[in-house]
Amino acid sequence: MQLIKITRMLGLLVFVCLPALADFDEAGEEGRRGAAVQKWGSGSNEHLKSYQEWNGFNREFERFFAAKKYYEAFVVAYKSLNIAREHASPNHPATILSQSNLAQAESVGDRELFKSVPAKHPTLFTYGIIGVIPVRFPVSMKDWSRCGGQFRSFCSDGHDGSDRRDKLPALDTAVRRYQETLAIQEKWLGPNHPSLVRNLQGLGNTYQNLKQNTLAKRSYQRALAILTRQGANLKKMSDLLEDLAYLCRLEGDIKQSVLYFEKSLVQKIKLLGTSHADLVGPLRNLSGLYVVLNRDAEAEKLERHAARIEAVRR
């Protein structure tokens, strides 16, 4: 029994002595969770239990978000943030990670949140009018209470035929949450720390969903500049270049889109090799743009490359 107590106390000492915000960077989710334990409460058994609960919610968030169960991801991210706020400071890595996760869930927009409400939830539908558009608000009463009313989904019946994604409140909330999180990180880590990249990319994605393309591009380019200065994480570099490529294509800037897609493809090949299945999509995206620019020989070469990969994978 005494040995168990000593082991537990040693474990608690490890928890409360881990590095602070400066280590809360590109080490991945495990590294971020590890840094988040620093100065978590007093190190008592009660605080250890609360950390374990917080950590569990973050793992659930990753699983739900990857499975596109955005409503459930939203709920566990909110619970995680409430625990972090109770046991850690607003500047604590745990609070920052939870707030970033919640912003990521909100950034998909209320329609996606609405669509992903699980069927098992007892959902109450109330109806209202926004302008001349009838909307319905799906609210799981249990989770409404737990989440402080933050889940405000609605779905336009589309009577006016317009796309109202730019009016959805979850996107606006995500922008505010990302901005607050970035302000804290910049204060403690400086404006060029790699920890900012995830939130800058998330902010860019949210601006793009809001069709604020200039602001989206600014966020992506700043994140890309940070990665370039830091020696580049190949996957994140590739993802950011691809985000910029899609954005330029939406704006009709095909030549600039091609440049970003080409750079992204180079990074993907460095990371994955030349025969990975994840190259098929990027190869065909770039091939399609080459066709638009009348670069047919290059387009055909990329199509053959994609076809070879698919043939091997069959």
Side-chain angles (χ1 to χ4, degrees), residues 69 85 147 149 204:
K69 296 180 177 180
R85 283 173 170 167
C147 297

Side-chain angles (χ1 to χ4, degrees), residues 4 8 73 79 116 152 156 179 190 253 295 308:
I4 293 172
R8 174 167 286 189
K79 292 174 184 176
S116 63
R152 304 172 312 281
S156 169
Q179 289 172 336
D253 189 349
R295 294 165 62 175
R308 283 196 302 271

Side-chain angles (χ1 to χ4, degrees), residues 1-17 42-46 48:
M1 182 64 70
Q2 191 67 23
L3 180 61
I4 293 172
K5 287 182 180 178
I6 292 171
T7 303
R8 174 167 286 189
M9 288 305 298
L10 286 172
L12 285 171
L13 284 172
V14 171
F15 281 152
V16 297
C17 293
S42 64
S44 66
N45 287 347
E46 180 184 349
L48 173 59

Side-chain angles (χ1 to χ4, degrees), residues 56-85:
F57 283 140
N58 279 289
R59 290 182 184 278
E60 286 186 349
F61 169 83
E62 293 162 26
R63 180 167 57 84
F64 285 140
F65 197 88
K68 298 185 178 180
K69 296 180 177 180
Y70 300 125
Y71 170 83
E72 289 165 295
F74 172 90
V75 171
V76 295
Y78 199 91
K79 292 174 184 176
S80 163
L81 181 58
N82 280 342
I83 293 172
R85 283 173 170 167

Side-chain angles (χ1 to χ4, degrees), residues 51 86 139 173 238-239 264:
Y51 165 73
E86 182 179 351
V139 180
T173 306
S238 174
D239 290 344
S264 175

Side-chain angles (χ1 to χ4, degrees), residues 162-217:
S162 65
D163 181 354
R164 296 183 57 82
R165 279 181 298 176
D166 57 335
K167 304 294 195 298
L168 301 184
L171 293 172
D172 298 328
T173 306
V175 167
R176 176 181 55 79
R177 208 179 297 280
Y178 274 129
Q179 289 172 336
E180 290 173 354
T181 304
L182 284 164
I184 293 170
Q185 289 181 303
E186 288 174 17
K187 178 180 177 181
W188 291 97
L189 302 174
N192 299 315
H193 196 276
S195 293
L196 277 67
V197 169
R198 182 194 184 204
N199 290 318
L200 284 168
Q201 187 174 16
L203 180 59
N205 292 340
T206 309
Y207 279 138
Q208 189 171 339
N209 287 337
L210 286 164
K211 300 179 182 176
Q212 297 178 14
N213 292 346
T214 301
L215 293 174
K217 187 179 292 185

